[in-house]
Amino acid sequence: MNSKEWTYDDTSNWGHDCSLSNQSPINIDTGKADTCKDLCELEINYQPSICSKDEETCSTIVRFDKHQNLKISYNRGSNIIYKNNPYNLSEITFHTPSLHQIDGMQYDLEICLIHSKDDNPYTNNGVIISCLFNEGDYFGSTERFVHQFINDVKIDSEQEINVSPEWNAGMILPQKKSFYLYKGTIPFPPCNSMTNIVMDTIGSISPINLELLKINLGKNIRPLQALSLRQIYYNSGRTIELNTGDRDVRVSDNY
């Protein structure tokens, strides 16, 4: 299917790959989650957006396709290390309400950080880190991240938007790095296979920015998919070394 042909209004015509098993999103039944060990080894190394030499002008590319996604093409140089393999942070997408549910609970917003082994964010066998948010405070790192571009978004356009030197994808992540993990897919076409990591700490987004996202995006989510025989794993995030500068953010479990 051509990338311009699909919409969230009709997910039945997304194509063959989107009808295969092991699709995303799912409802995460916490009672069925197993504690993970080596499967959940994860390091996060996110860098700020590219700036001019004097750091007075920084920018990012934001694209908004009506009935599809609002997405940020993130600059090269940020990555994660998952199971000793590097994956580049290639794209960030925004979804209202949340794609995933936890024990049947849906949230106001989900931000997906999509990682791949090459420059194509939709290459098979990448990693998606999902962060969940509810309407809340007018402050916080995610609020500052969204506020720097949301007022400049235009329908069916791609724009270069100025951001501050400290603007960083790490601002989206919760301080506590506990998460659920399962084998799934990109939750929209081309529905390629992905390892899905869903943070279980629920963040906060202001009513104003949430409303702007809702107005622009509508309901851009896919219906929940069957878990079938897949296993859900849980990492308690006990060990954390958090820094959005030159050092990595390291996450490990209790083992």
Side-chain angles (χ1 to χ4, degrees), residues 11-12 14-23 190-191 222 225:
T11 61
S12 65
W14 278 9
H16 174 69
D17 289 346
C18 297
S19 63
L20 299 177
S21 61
N22 298 343
Q23 296 290 303
C191 302
R222 183 187 195 185
Q225 305 295 300

Side-chain angles (χ1 to χ4, degrees), residues 124-153:
N124 269 316
N125 301 317
V127 179
I128 299 177
I129 297 178
S130 290
C131 299
L132 306 174
F133 301 86
N134 271 334
E135 179 180 316
D137 297 328
Y138 282 88
F139 57 85
S141 60
T142 302
E143 177 71 6
R144 297 195 304 274
F145 182 92
V146 172
H147 187 72
Q148 292 196 40
F149 68 84
I150 189 60
N151 290 298
D152 297 319
V153 170

Side-chain angles (χ1 to χ4, degrees), residues 229-255:
L229 299 178
R230 289 177 288 177
Q231 179 62 51
I232 300 172
Y233 297 94
Y234 181 68
N235 183 319
S236 65
R238 181 174 63 91
T239 302
I240 302 173
E241 297 174 12
L242 177 59
N243 193 314
T244 55
D246 294 331
R247 291 188 297 167
D248 290 346
V249 178
R250 181 179 294 273
V251 182
S252 67
D253 55 34
N254 288 326
Y255 293 82

